Amino acid sequence: MEKNLKKPSFYRVLVPALSGILAMSAILSGCGSASQSSQPASGSDSTSSSGGKTGSVSKLTLWDIQTQDSQKLIVDETDKFNKAHSDIQVTPQWFQNDPYKDKIRISLGAGNPPDIFYNWGGGPLADYVKAGDVVDLTSYLNADSAYKNKFIDSVWGPATVDGKIYGVPTEGSAGELLYYNKALFKKYNLDPPTTWDNLLKAVKVLKDNGIAPIALEGKSQWPEMIWVQYLTARLGGTQVFDKIAKGEPGSWSDPAILKALQYCQQLVDMGAFQTGYTSLDADKNESEPLIVTGKAGMIAQGSWVYSNFQTNYPDFVKSGDLGYTAFPTIDPQYGDIAVGAPSSYYSISSKSKNPEAAMTYLKEVSLNDDEVTAYINKLGAIPPVKNIDDQLKASPTADFQIWLHGIIAKAPTVQLYWDQYLSATLAKQLLDNISKVFIKQETPQQLVDNMNKNMAAAPK
């Protein structure tokens, strides 16, 4: 069995994790989450001398992938921290989402990581832990129960390996959904793409009228995976990936995966995706203008994209033309399954010379009261902390947050992003194979066969 797949706690906490988010907003019963803002920005690059001290000052580096308002929020809060702590100075460094995955993996492996690093928890974090690259934060958290208990209990699951905690939450919860241009759908008398048949009809009508039906950021690969993992969940339920998570031999051969891949190639054959979709970069938010300008009708993306629309295209959002819906239903028995994550995390490198200073920074900055308020009111997110019901109800984006909360609330199961659960190597192999399916350099059956072989060959 794949070594990261042995960690049962991670997958099993997903539903309770998101259920915990729901509990914190019981009055919104029916309702959602968000800013796993994966969509990054200017990527600077540098190396780090972990936790180095100059005189009595601990100089720490932090690596993250936030962009725009999320990045500014962390910069502002870090500046406040640095001014309040003359003995600890933290310098954030920013990277683009996709290159970051390799950057952090290589830096940890080479023994030259930052003191604090952003991650998604799950399989890759478990790999880093097993390599001895991450500080066990359990004792720090147990020593400050007030800090630990301000978060919903189940958010710790994805950062827990063998009963020990290796990361603290740093973002709001997130889910994947389908955005669409309401004005286009109204113009062509289309129903919202709530079912697969509605979506296929919209694809045909929009294509016939010279509009790209679906914007897709193929250069980044993971947006293509959104289609595969959601279609699989809609066709076969989360038990399909459950088997993969358990490392069952041949589990990629489930008929739901094969059919999901065939559906993706059906969309390709219909011309559903815009011309040149393989060069569109999610790191640069390149698909959103296509939706705003009516050059494309739909996009499958994360809830974090809502804040991008709100920040960069406020008039479009205010006009009410930004539509959003759960991923289309195919088999009704699986229609309420959601794909999302309770948070992302900051972890401390075992190479840091001053993990205590790093922990002081995390406790004072990551999801402090100012950040929680900003995530709710500016970023349209639901932070994984307790007692924020009133703030959520008063949020300027309450409609979206309440709607998303409802999607997750009624979900019988929440499926974590596949690439965040798999080991880094398997995730990369999966993304590469999916891309080949989307450009039809590989058949669905070839992907299935390749992933079965890759999983069998992965370290046990």
Side-chain angles (χ1 to χ4, degrees), residues 135-401:
V135 172
D136 175 7
L137 304 181
T138 310
S139 61
Y140 295 103
L141 294 168
N142 289 341
D144 188 348
S145 58
Y147 171 75
K148 183 180 179 184
N149 292 335
K150 83 172 188 176
F151 298 100
I152 59 173
D153 295 341
S154 49
V155 77
W156 299 108
T160 299
V161 181
D162 295 333
K164 297 179 180 178
I165 300 174
Y166 293 88
V168 299
T170 182
E171 279 188 301
S173 306
E176 292 177 344
L177 57 137
L178 197 66
Y179 298 92
Y180 64 100
N181 184 314
K182 280 187 177 178
L184 281 178
F185 274 63
K186 182 178 181 181
K187 180 178 179 179
Y188 296 110
N189 296 315
L190 294 168
D191 293 324
T194 55
T195 67
W196 191 245
D197 287 343
N198 285 354
L199 183 137
L200 292 179
K201 179 181 178 183
V203 166
K204 182 177 187 311
V205 171
L206 293 174
K207 182 70 177 176
D208 288 347
N209 285 277
I211 297 164
I214 301 171
L216 180 64
E217 295 145 324
K219 182 178 179 181
S220 299
Q221 294 185 312
W222 58 263
E224 297 171 331
M225 184 189 66
I226 291 175
W227 287 92
V228 179
Q229 65 189 9
Y230 237 131
L231 281 166
T232 300
R234 287 288 187 263
L235 289 162
T238 53
Q239 60 266 34
V240 177
F241 188 72
D242 230 348
K243 296 176 184 174
I244 294 170
K246 294 174 183 173
E248 292 185 12
S251 50
W252 288 94
S253 297
D254 191 288
I257 293 179
L258 191 63
K259 196 166 184 179
L261 293 165
Q262 291 168 342
Y263 276 26
C264 289
Q265 288 200 332
Q266 178 189 5
L267 291 175
V268 172
D269 291 340
M270 293 176 70
F273 306 111
Q274 83 280 6
T275 301
Y277 64 85
T278 57
S279 62
L280 220 60
D281 191 345
D283 281 345
K284 298 177 181 176
N285 304 317
E286 290 182 331
S287 63
E288 293 145 26
L290 299 179
I291 301 297
V292 174
T293 59
K295 293 180 180 177
M298 299 172 277
I299 180 173
Q301 255 291 2
S303 51
W304 55 86
V305 165
Y306 185 85
S307 66
N308 294 345
F309 279 117
Q310 192 176 38
T311 299
N312 299 326
Y313 310 101
D315 292 341
F316 179 69
V317 175
K318 289 177 183 174
S319 73
D321 284 340
L322 178 60
Y324 43 84
T325 181
F327 197 85
T329 296
I330 301 175
D331 184 337
Q333 67 176 314
Y334 303 126
D336 288 337
I337 292 172
V339 175
S343 185
S344 55
Y345 301 87
Y346 279 143
S347 297
I348 300 174
S349 160
S350 60
K351 298 295 183 185
S352 176
K353 295 174 183 173
N354 199 337
E356 290 79 12
M359 195 63 202
T360 297
Y361 169 83
L362 293 180
K363 286 167 60 178
E364 292 190 25
V365 173
S366 186
L367 289 177
N368 63 23
D369 289 346
D370 288 343
E371 283 203 355
V372 167
T373 298
Y375 270 111
I376 292 173
N377 293 328
K378 292 183 179 178
L379 302 175
I382 300 180
V385 299
K386 301 171 182 173
N387 304 318
I388 57 174
D389 297 10
D390 291 341
Q391 284 180 274
L392 286 173
K393 286 187 292 183
S395 165
T397 57
D399 288 349
F400 177 75
Q401 289 168 305

Side-chain angles (χ1 to χ4, degrees), residues 25-234:
S25 187
I27 207 157
L28 303 176
S29 71
C31 314
S33 102
S35 164
Q36 259 223 313
S37 127
S38 339
Q39 308 338 300
S42 54
S44 67
D45 194 359
S46 73
T47 56
S48 162
S49 57
S50 294
K53 284 190 176 183
T54 300
S56 60
V57 179
S58 292
K59 293 188 174 182
L60 308 178
T61 51
L62 179 151
W63 286 8
D64 202 336
I65 63 168
Q66 306 298 335
T67 62
Q68 300 188 18
D69 289 344
S70 299
Q71 184 182 111
K72 184 177 184 305
L73 175 62
I74 295 170
V75 169
D76 290 346
E77 292 303 310
T78 300
D79 286 347
K80 286 188 216 173
F81 176 88
N82 287 342
K83 288 177 183 174
H85 294 269
S86 58
D87 58 334
I88 305 173
Q89 296 294 292
V90 179
T91 302
Q93 297 175 355
W94 309 103
F95 300 86
Q96 291 187 329
N97 180 58
D98 294 327
Y100 177 77
K101 296 171 185 172
D102 284 337
K103 176 73 178 176
I104 189 61
R105 178 178 55 79
I106 292 170
S107 69
L108 285 166
N112 189 29
D115 298 280
I116 301 167
F117 64 97
Y118 175 100
N119 64 86
W120 295 269
L125 178 61
D127 286 350
Y128 303 148
V129 169
K130 290 171 183 173
D133 294 330
V134 190
V135 172
D136 175 7
L137 304 181
T138 310
S139 61
Y140 295 103
L141 294 168
N142 289 341
D144 188 348
S145 58
Y147 171 75
K148 183 180 179 184
N149 292 335
K150 83 172 188 176
F151 298 100
I152 59 173
D153 295 341
S154 49
V155 77
W156 299 108
T160 299
V161 181
D162 295 333
K164 297 179 180 178
I165 300 174
Y166 293 88
V168 299
T170 182
E171 279 188 301
S173 306
E176 292 177 344
L177 57 137
L178 197 66
Y179 298 92
Y180 64 100
N181 184 314
K182 280 187 177 178
L184 281 178
F185 274 63
K186 182 178 181 181
K187 180 178 179 179
Y188 296 110
N189 296 315
L190 294 168
D191 293 324
T194 55
T195 67
W196 191 245
D197 287 343
N198 285 354
L199 183 137
L200 292 179
K201 179 181 178 183
V203 166
K204 182 177 187 311
V205 171
L206 293 174
K207 182 70 177 176
D208 288 347
N209 285 277
I211 297 164
I214 301 171
L216 180 64
E217 295 145 324
K219 182 178 179 181
S220 299
Q221 294 185 312
W222 58 263
E224 297 171 331
M225 184 189 66
I226 291 175
W227 287 92
V228 179
Q229 65 189 9
Y230 237 131
L231 281 166
T232 300
R234 287 288 187 263

